[in-house]
Amino acid sequence: MRVPRLVGLMAVDARETARARGLFLNAPDRPEFHLTVVDYVVRQFPQPGAEVPRDSMVYVWFDFGDGEGGGGVREPRIPRPPKGGLQRELDRPGDAFEVSSL
């Protein structure tokens, strides 16, 4: 049997999908998983499409781990910012507040 894709599903839907396929679901980051309803699955193991025997355990997570981000998809900004970064403005000759380097 193939593991269904659970990422992106709400907890209640993930449980029903797994149960319908004869799989057990476990959420290591949620001790009260049986009460979790509207949180979304962000990760699963084994991966979707993996072959497993019936009654296998599928692990799901609802929060990203340390260093995994979770900031979402980063799309390129259009128009792109100018290249070169910040530039220092030069003092005008005879400026009363001229900055001098020591």
Side-chain angles (χ1 to χ4, degrees):
M1 125 172 339
R2 292 192 183 272
V3 175
R5 179 173 177 82
L6 302 173
V7 174
L9 295 179
M10 289 192 308
V12 67
D13 297 330
R15 280 194 301 267
E16 287 300 316
T17 301
R19 187 177 322 159
R21 303 261 177 117
L23 300 170
F24 294 105
L25 222 52
N26 188 358
D29 66 339
R30 296 292 165 95
E32 73 291 345
F33 176 58
H34 62 284
L35 300 175
T36 305
V37 177
V38 295
D39 291 345
Y40 287 89
V41 175
V42 297
R43 226 175 3 139
Q44 78 179 66
F45 182 81
Q47 296 295 323
E51 288 285 336
V52 297
R54 188 171 178 79
D55 297 332
S56 293
M57 183 71 66
V58 177
Y59 296 91
V60 295
W61 289 266
F62 296 95
D63 293 320
F64 287 102
D66 293 335
E68 288 187 63
V73 176
R74 296 195 173 47
E75 298 176 0
R77 293 180 4 189
I78 306 224
R80 294 195 179 275
K83 294 185 180 195
L86 298 175
Q87 296 180 352
R88 185 172 68 94
E89 184 177 338
L90 300 175
D91 297 329
R92 293 188 185 124
D95 189 357
F97 300 101
E98 185 175 337
V99 177
S100 63
S101 58
L102 300 174

PDB file of all heavy atoms in Angstrom, residues 3 12 18-19 40 44 46 52 56 62 65 68 71-73 79-80 86-89 93 97 101:
ATOM      1  N   VAL A   3       1.678   5.253   0.839  1.00  0.00           N
ATOM      2  CA  VAL A   3       1.365   6.276   1.837  1.00  0.00           C
ATOM      3  C   VAL A   3       0.734   7.469   1.126  1.00  0.00           C
ATOM      4  O   VAL A   3       1.293   7.974   0.145  1.00  0.00           O
ATOM      5  CB  VAL A   3       2.646   6.715   2.590  1.00  0.00           C
ATOM      6  CG1 VAL A   3       2.349   7.852   3.545  1.00  0.00           C
ATOM      7  CG2 VAL A   3       3.262   5.537   3.325  1.00  0.00           C
ATOM      8  N   VAL A  12      -7.678  16.683  11.442  1.00  0.00           N
ATOM      9  CA  VAL A  12      -8.842  15.793  11.380  1.00  0.00           C
ATOM     10  C   VAL A  12      -8.903  15.086  10.030  1.00  0.00           C
ATOM     11  O   VAL A  12      -9.214  13.892   9.959  1.00  0.00           O
ATOM     12  CB  VAL A  12     -10.143  16.570  11.697  1.00  0.00           C
ATOM     13  CG1 VAL A  12     -10.470  17.590  10.636  1.00  0.00           C
ATOM     14  CG2 VAL A  12     -11.285  15.610  11.903  1.00  0.00           C
ATOM     15  N   ALA A  18      -5.683   8.626   6.735  1.00  0.00           N
ATOM     16  CA  ALA A  18      -4.847   7.498   7.166  1.00  0.00           C
ATOM     17  C   ALA A  18      -5.715   6.309   7.580  1.00  0.00           C
ATOM     18  O   ALA A  18      -5.438   5.167   7.206  1.00  0.00           O
ATOM     19  CB  ALA A  18      -3.936   7.927   8.303  1.00  0.00           C
ATOM     20  N   ARG A  19      -6.754   6.572   8.345  1.00  0.00           N
ATOM     21  CA  ARG A  19      -7.640   5.500   8.812  1.00  0.00           C
ATOM     22  C   ARG A  19      -8.297   4.783   7.635  1.00  0.00           C
ATOM     23  O   ARG A  19      -8.426   3.560   7.627  1.00  0.00           O
ATOM     24  CB  ARG A  19      -8.705   6.070   9.741  1.00  0.00           C
ATOM     25  CG  ARG A  19      -9.542   4.979  10.398  1.00  0.00           C
ATOM     26  CD  ARG A  19     -10.540   5.535  11.374  1.00  0.00           C
ATOM     27  NE  ARG A  19      -9.972   6.645  12.115  1.00  0.00           N
ATOM     28  CZ  ARG A  19     -10.680   7.571  12.740  1.00  0.00           C
ATOM     29  NH1 ARG A  19     -11.988   7.509  12.728  1.00  0.00           N
ATOM     30  NH2 ARG A  19     -10.105   8.554  13.384  1.00  0.00           N
ATOM     31  N   TYR A  40      -2.516  22.332  10.566  1.00  0.00           N
ATOM     32  CA  TYR A  40      -2.154  21.735   9.287  1.00  0.00           C
ATOM     33  C   TYR A  40      -0.860  20.939   9.386  1.00  0.00           C
ATOM     34  O   TYR A  40       0.094  21.367  10.031  1.00  0.00           O
ATOM     35  CB  TYR A  40      -1.994  22.818   8.211  1.00  0.00           C
ATOM     36  CG  TYR A  40      -3.316  23.394   7.777  1.00  0.00           C
ATOM     37  CD1 TYR A  40      -3.871  24.475   8.432  1.00  0.00           C
ATOM     38  CD2 TYR A  40      -4.013  22.832   6.717  1.00  0.00           C
ATOM     39  CE1 TYR A  40      -5.103  24.993   8.052  1.00  0.00           C
ATOM     40  CE2 TYR A  40      -5.240  23.342   6.323  1.00  0.00           C
ATOM     41  CZ  TYR A  40      -5.772  24.417   6.997  1.00  0.00           C
ATOM     42  OH  TYR A  40      -6.980  24.921   6.613  1.00  0.00           O
ATOM     43  N   GLN A  44       5.761  14.870   6.932  1.00  0.00           N
ATOM     44  CA  GLN A  44       5.329  13.503   7.204  1.00  0.00           C
ATOM     45  C   GLN A  44       6.461  12.537   6.895  1.00  0.00           C
ATOM     46  O   GLN A  44       7.345  12.832   6.099  1.00  0.00           O
ATOM     47  CB  GLN A  44       4.090  13.147   6.399  1.00  0.00           C
ATOM     48  CG  GLN A  44       4.360  12.805   4.947  1.00  0.00           C
ATOM     49  CD  GLN A  44       3.113  12.434   4.202  1.00  0.00           C
ATOM     50  OE1 GLN A  44       2.247  13.279   4.010  1.00  0.00           O
ATOM     51  NE2 GLN A  44       3.013  11.184   3.780  1.00  0.00           N
ATOM     52  N   PRO A  46       6.700   8.054   6.619  1.00  0.00           N
ATOM     53  CA  PRO A  46       7.375   8.044   5.327  1.00  0.00           C
ATOM     54  C   PRO A  46       6.742   9.031   4.349  1.00  0.00           C
ATOM     55  O   PRO A  46       5.607   9.453   4.514  1.00  0.00           O
ATOM     56  CB  PRO A  46       7.213   6.623   4.832  1.00  0.00           C
ATOM     57  CG  PRO A  46       6.478   5.859   5.877  1.00  0.00           C
ATOM     58  CD  PRO A  46       6.050   6.811   6.922  1.00  0.00           C
ATOM     59  N   VAL A  52       4.330   0.749   2.068  1.00  0.00           N
ATOM     60  CA  VAL A  52       4.364   0.270   3.456  1.00  0.00           C
ATOM     61  C   VAL A  52       3.305  -0.806   3.635  1.00  0.00           C
ATOM     62  O   VAL A  52       2.311  -0.845   2.909  1.00  0.00           O
ATOM     63  CB  VAL A  52       4.105   1.424   4.468  1.00  0.00           C
ATOM     64  CG1 VAL A  52       5.199   2.471   4.391  1.00  0.00           C
ATOM     65  CG2 VAL A  52       2.750   2.042   4.248  1.00  0.00           C
ATOM     66  N   SER A  56       0.727   0.156   9.186  1.00  0.00           N
ATOM     67  CA  SER A  56       1.990   0.846   9.466  1.00  0.00           C
ATOM     68  C   SER A  56       1.718   2.181  10.142  1.00  0.00           C
ATOM     69  O   SER A  56       0.634   2.756  10.027  1.00  0.00           O
ATOM     70  CB  SER A  56       2.768   1.094   8.173  1.00  0.00           C
ATOM     71  OG  SER A  56       3.198  -0.116   7.633  1.00  0.00           O
ATOM     72  N   PHE A  62       3.214  19.136  12.917  1.00  0.00           N
ATOM     73  CA  PHE A  62       2.409  20.329  12.677  1.00  0.00           C
ATOM     74  C   PHE A  62       3.209  21.606  12.819  1.00  0.00           C
ATOM     75  O   PHE A  62       2.740  22.676  12.474  1.00  0.00           O
ATOM     76  CB  PHE A  62       1.213  20.351  13.640  1.00  0.00           C
ATOM     77  CG  PHE A  62       0.275  19.203  13.399  1.00  0.00           C
ATOM     78  CD1 PHE A  62       0.366  18.044  14.129  1.00  0.00           C
ATOM     79  CD2 PHE A  62      -0.681  19.283  12.406  1.00  0.00           C
ATOM     80  CE1 PHE A  62      -0.475  16.981  13.901  1.00  0.00           C
ATOM     81  CE2 PHE A  62      -1.534  18.229  12.157  1.00  0.00           C
ATOM     82  CZ  PHE A  62      -1.436  17.073  12.912  1.00  0.00           C
ATOM     83  N   GLY A  65      10.598  22.183  12.675  1.00  0.00           N
ATOM     84  CA  GLY A  65      11.652  22.017  13.666  1.00  0.00           C
ATOM     85  C   GLY A  65      12.647  23.164  13.603  1.00  0.00           C
ATOM     86  O   GLY A  65      12.569  24.045  12.748  1.00  0.00           O
ATOM     87  N   GLU A  68      14.351  24.766  10.272  1.00  0.00           N
ATOM     88  CA  GLU A  68      13.587  24.406   9.077  1.00  0.00           C
ATOM     89  C   GLU A  68      12.833  25.583   8.500  1.00  0.00           C
ATOM     90  O   GLU A  68      12.204  25.474   7.468  1.00  0.00           O
ATOM     91  CB  GLU A  68      12.592  23.288   9.397  1.00  0.00           C
ATOM     92  CG  GLU A  68      13.244  21.965   9.623  1.00  0.00           C
ATOM     93  CD  GLU A  68      12.205  20.887   9.764  1.00  0.00           C
ATOM     94  OE1 GLU A  68      11.462  20.655   8.801  1.00  0.00           O
ATOM     95  OE2 GLU A  68      12.136  20.300  10.848  1.00  0.00           O
ATOM     96  N   GLY A  71       8.889  30.128   7.057  1.00  0.00           N
ATOM     97  CA  GLY A  71       8.522  31.452   6.587  1.00  0.00           C
ATOM     98  C   GLY A  71       7.743  31.425   5.295  1.00  0.00           C
ATOM     99  O   GLY A  71       7.343  32.458   4.797  1.00  0.00           O
ATOM    100  N   GLY A  72       7.530  30.265   4.730  1.00  0.00           N
ATOM    101  CA  GLY A  72       6.762  30.167   3.495  1.00  0.00           C
ATOM    102  C   GLY A  72       7.641  30.268   2.262  1.00  0.00           C
ATOM    103  O   GLY A  72       8.862  30.348   2.340  1.00  0.00           O
ATOM    104  N   VAL A  73       7.015  30.297   1.114  1.00  0.00           N
ATOM    105  CA  VAL A  73       7.726  30.370  -0.153  1.00  0.00           C
ATOM    106  C   VAL A  73       8.194  31.791  -0.363  1.00  0.00           C
ATOM    107  O   VAL A  73       7.443  32.740  -0.164  1.00  0.00           O
ATOM    108  CB  VAL A  73       6.802  29.936  -1.310  1.00  0.00           C
ATOM    109  CG1 VAL A  73       7.495  30.110  -2.644  1.00  0.00           C
ATOM    110  CG2 VAL A  73       6.342  28.518  -1.111  1.00  0.00           C
ATOM    111  N   PRO A  79       9.697  44.942  -9.286  1.00  0.00           N
ATOM    112  CA  PRO A  79      11.017  44.959  -9.917  1.00  0.00           C
ATOM    113  C   PRO A  79      12.108  44.659  -8.897  1.00  0.00           C
ATOM    114  O   PRO A  79      11.948  44.895  -7.707  1.00  0.00           O
ATOM    115  CB  PRO A  79      11.141  46.377 -10.452  1.00  0.00           C
ATOM    116  CG  PRO A  79      10.299  47.190  -9.542  1.00  0.00           C
ATOM    117  CD  PRO A  79       9.165  46.289  -9.104  1.00  0.00           C
ATOM    118  N   ARG A  80      13.200  44.141  -9.399  1.00  0.00           N
ATOM    119  CA  ARG A  80      14.320  43.806  -8.526  1.00  0.00           C
ATOM    120  C   ARG A  80      14.965  45.078  -7.975  1.00  0.00           C
ATOM    121  O   ARG A  80      15.008  46.091  -8.663  1.00  0.00           O
ATOM    122  CB  ARG A  80      15.360  43.002  -9.285  1.00  0.00           C
ATOM    123  CG  ARG A  80      14.833  41.644  -9.702  1.00  0.00           C
ATOM    124  CD  ARG A  80      15.999  40.758 -10.127  1.00  0.00           C
ATOM    125  NE  ARG A  80      15.553  39.449 -10.505  1.00  0.00           N
ATOM    126  CZ  ARG A  80      15.357  38.458  -9.654  1.00  0.00           C
ATOM    127  NH1 ARG A  80      15.568  38.627  -8.386  1.00  0.00           N
ATOM    128  NH2 ARG A  80      14.945  37.281 -10.083  1.00  0.00           N
ATOM    129  N   LEU A  86      24.113  49.833  -0.499  1.00  0.00           N
ATOM    130  CA  LEU A  86      24.099  51.224  -0.068  1.00  0.00           C
ATOM    131  C   LEU A  86      25.378  51.925  -0.481  1.00  0.00           C
ATOM    132  O   LEU A  86      26.450  51.335  -0.496  1.00  0.00           O
ATOM    133  CB  LEU A  86      23.958  51.292   1.454  1.00  0.00           C
ATOM    134  CG  LEU A  86      22.680  50.695   2.040  1.00  0.00           C
ATOM    135  CD1 LEU A  86      22.756  50.720   3.558  1.00  0.00           C
ATOM    136  CD2 LEU A  86      21.484  51.483   1.566  1.00  0.00           C
ATOM    137  N   GLN A  87      25.263  53.215  -0.792  1.00  0.00           N
ATOM    138  CA  GLN A  87      26.430  54.021  -1.131  1.00  0.00           C
ATOM    139  C   GLN A  87      26.467  55.219  -0.199  1.00  0.00           C
ATOM    140  O   GLN A  87      25.426  55.772   0.158  1.00  0.00           O
ATOM    141  CB  GLN A  87      26.357  54.472  -2.579  1.00  0.00           C
ATOM    142  CG  GLN A  87      26.411  53.322  -3.559  1.00  0.00           C
ATOM    143  CD  GLN A  87      26.347  53.794  -4.995  1.00  0.00           C
ATOM    144  OE1 GLN A  87      26.115  54.963  -5.259  1.00  0.00           O
ATOM    145  NE2 GLN A  87      26.540  52.873  -5.916  1.00  0.00           N
ATOM    146  N   ARG A  88      27.681  55.607   0.191  1.00  0.00           N
ATOM    147  CA  ARG A  88      27.843  56.743   1.082  1.00  0.00           C
ATOM    148  C   ARG A  88      27.781  58.031   0.282  1.00  0.00           C
ATOM    149  O   ARG A  88      28.361  58.150  -0.793  1.00  0.00           O
ATOM    150  CB  ARG A  88      29.200  56.641   1.794  1.00  0.00           C
ATOM    151  CG  ARG A  88      29.409  57.697   2.830  1.00  0.00           C
ATOM    152  CD  ARG A  88      30.662  57.424   3.604  1.00  0.00           C
ATOM    153  NE  ARG A  88      31.856  57.582   2.817  1.00  0.00           N
ATOM    154  CZ  ARG A  88      32.568  58.705   2.766  1.00  0.00           C
ATOM    155  NH1 ARG A  88      32.217  59.742   3.458  1.00  0.00           N
ATOM    156  NH2 ARG A  88      33.634  58.767   2.012  1.00  0.00           N
ATOM    157  N   GLU A  89      27.036  58.977   0.808  1.00  0.00           N
ATOM    158  CA  GLU A  89      26.948  60.282   0.160  1.00  0.00           C
ATOM    159  C   GLU A  89      28.198  61.074   0.499  1.00  0.00           C
ATOM    160  O   GLU A  89      28.623  61.135   1.655  1.00  0.00           O
ATOM    161  CB  GLU A  89      25.705  61.031   0.663  1.00  0.00           C
ATOM    162  CG  GLU A  89      25.496  62.352  -0.033  1.00  0.00           C
ATOM    163  CD  GLU A  89      24.232  63.033   0.433  1.00  0.00           C
ATOM    164  OE1 GLU A  89      23.338  62.353   0.952  1.00  0.00           O
ATOM    165  OE2 GLU A  89      24.162  64.242   0.275  1.00  0.00           O
ATOM    166  N   PRO A  93      31.867  70.329  -0.904  1.00  0.00           N
ATOM    167  CA  PRO A  93      33.003  71.189  -0.549  1.00  0.00           C
ATOM    168  C   PRO A  93      32.525  72.417   0.225  1.00  0.00           C
ATOM    169  O   PRO A  93      31.514  73.033  -0.134  1.00  0.00           O
ATOM    170  CB  PRO A  93      33.595  71.601  -1.897  1.00  0.00           C
ATOM    171  CG  PRO A  93      33.019  70.648  -2.896  1.00  0.00           C
ATOM    172  CD  PRO A  93      31.759  70.122  -2.328  1.00  0.00           C
ATOM    173  N   PHE A  97      29.461  71.230   8.259  1.00  0.00           N
ATOM    174  CA  PHE A  97      29.456  70.019   9.081  1.00  0.00           C
ATOM    175  C   PHE A  97      30.228  68.890   8.387  1.00  0.00           C
ATOM    176  O   PHE A  97      29.832  67.748   8.402  1.00  0.00           O
ATOM    177  CB  PHE A  97      28.030  69.578   9.367  1.00  0.00           C
ATOM    178  CG  PHE A  97      27.219  70.609  10.109  1.00  0.00           C
ATOM    179  CD1 PHE A  97      26.318  71.420   9.452  1.00  0.00           C
ATOM    180  CD2 PHE A  97      27.399  70.785  11.459  1.00  0.00           C
ATOM    181  CE1 PHE A  97      25.587  72.364  10.116  1.00  0.00           C
ATOM    182  CE2 PHE A  97      26.677  71.742  12.143  1.00  0.00           C
ATOM    183  CZ  PHE A  97      25.774  72.543  11.474  1.00  0.00           C
ATOM    184  N   SER A 101      37.939  62.192   8.521  1.00  0.00           N
ATOM    185  CA  SER A 101      38.404  60.901   9.018  1.00  0.00           C
ATOM    186  C   SER A 101      39.728  61.112   9.729  1.00  0.00           C
ATOM    187  O   SER A 101      40.601  61.817   9.270  1.00  0.00           O
ATOM    188  CB  SER A 101      38.560  59.928   7.867  1.00  0.00           C
ATOM    189  OG  SER A 101      39.454  60.438   6.921  1.00  0.00           O
TER     190      SER A 101
END
